[in-house]
Amino acid sequence: MKHTDPRDFAPHSDDTHTVSPEEYVQLLHPQGVIGNPAVLIKNSEKPSQQFTRSPDGIVACLHALLDRTSFISLNRFKGTRCNSGLVSLNSLYVDLDYHNDPGWRAEGEEDVQAAVAGHLLMRGVSEPSFYLRTGRGLAAIWLIHSMPPAALSRWQAAIRALMDLLAPFGSDRSCNDPARVFRIPGTRNEKSGRVVQVSGGNCQRQDFDVLADQIFAAVGRPTRSELAERRKQRQERASGAPTMPRGLTQAERFEQIRKDLEAYRIHHGGVIPVGYRNTWLHFYATCLTHQSDTQAIEGHIQRAADTATPGLCQVETNAIIKQALAKSKLQACDNASESERYCYRGSTVAERLDVSADMARQLSMRQVMPAEERHRRKAERERARRAVQGSTSRDQYLLENSASRNKPWRNYGLGRSQYYARKKAGTLPELSVAPDRTGPCPLQGNHSGHRELCGPPTEAQQSETPVNRPIGNTSNTLATDR
């Protein structure tokens, strides 16, 4: 069966774009743009030179740059060529070092470019503005409408996705910074001796959002609109989510809090310690405001104060009663964010009363507990639920499925790295069950059974008995067993 070659899908054109160095610079950095491109000149003996200049200034001195090893930035800067001096994001690009890939090392530049073009076309990504043959590799450049430095994170995300898309062609992972420079067409690559040239492309600028969505979709990542929709759904779920345990109404939850407060009182000998009396009574009154019958709430709070906080000033008790009566007349709702009454979390009550996780477990509290204790109980319930469904623990799973322990490469007679390389490439052979081997005959050789039946061998027999030697090497034996 013949595999599909990306070169078969490459757009065919008899007239390859021929772009001069002047036209390249003018298309890359038009007049009237914000910021200036940067130029880097490498010298064999002297230190490298670097400067920023207007596009017209670069075109004016281009004849001198073509005689030297010169580079130009694809983005624009103010002052020095660095991220802090970035003014305008002008392009997306990827540097393809295909000569480092064994699959493309022997291919010509034309074949690699055709394969890249077909690869992009099959995945729905627009044609680059330029294909730049750099003398030892191939660069694909997409010109975009200028974006401010504030969009740098989005630009870098698109660059990384573009590198993943063209990874089969040896994309340079380090070519992801906005200060990157590329060789100027018409200069000569000092390493290969070849002249750098533009070899194709549509010479057009594109909208960044449209191009980025194409790239993200090609590598299986969500587009910007899909991310916005996911964010909207999360916000809707968050705004409508009740801030209380699932399955309980506010009345049921505060009834459990009231019972936990009673357990707290009994734990301290029936009387709330000094320093917590006002807080405890306020929480207790709040629980009563969420009950269906609030007619006798004043009497319940007073009796609780007489029993649990006998030393509390009556003025403070009356203030708590007055506040509770006012809250009990307001609208109640199971959604804490919409309720007009006080709705405290159990962790908040535990924090104000200094209820530790050990105390919550000792008193079997159901609502008043620190957040870490609630998380522990939730994890314990989840483990129990999964155990009922037949799931194994993580330690048991790793014990049964850990390749480091099982060493599956031994079954194939391979080393570890070779096993994973062939597994990734899908070239591992199928294992067949080897037939059971028969053991050595008890009446032959130096087997223990032979010695038991016939006694130890004589000196003459020992001299005639050949030395046992393995036949072939271990790898051949394993291959034969398979």
Side-chain angles (χ1 to χ4, degrees), residues 10-76:
H12 298 284
S13 177
D14 296 333
D15 53 337
T16 303
H17 289 288
T18 302
V19 179
S20 65
E22 292 81 3
E23 293 172 333
Y24 175 79
V25 174
Q26 291 171 349
L27 289 171
L28 195 63
H29 302 291
Q31 295 182 1
V33 295
I34 300 176
N36 295 322
V39 172
L40 174 67
I41 303 175
K42 282 188 176 182
N43 299 311
S44 57
E45 300 178 356
K46 302 179 182 179
S48 300
Q49 298 176 264
Q50 183 173 246
F51 58 87
T52 56
R53 188 167 296 178
S54 65
D56 291 341
I58 293 178
V59 172
C61 66
L62 194 59
H63 63 284
L65 297 177
L66 297 181
D67 294 334
R68 309 172 74 176
T69 305
S70 305
F71 301 78
I72 187 171
S73 67
L74 303 188
N75 297 312
R76 292 186 287 274

Side-chain angles (χ1 to χ4, degrees), residues 4 94 145 187 428:
T4 303
V94 61
H145 299 298
T187 60
L428 282 176

Side-chain angles (χ1 to χ4, degrees), residues 74-91:
L74 303 188
N75 297 312
R76 292 186 287 274
F77 304 86
K78 182 178 181 180
T80 58
R81 180 178 62 91
C82 60
N83 289 2
S84 60
L86 179 66
V87 173
S88 176
L89 293 166
N90 183 63
S91 62

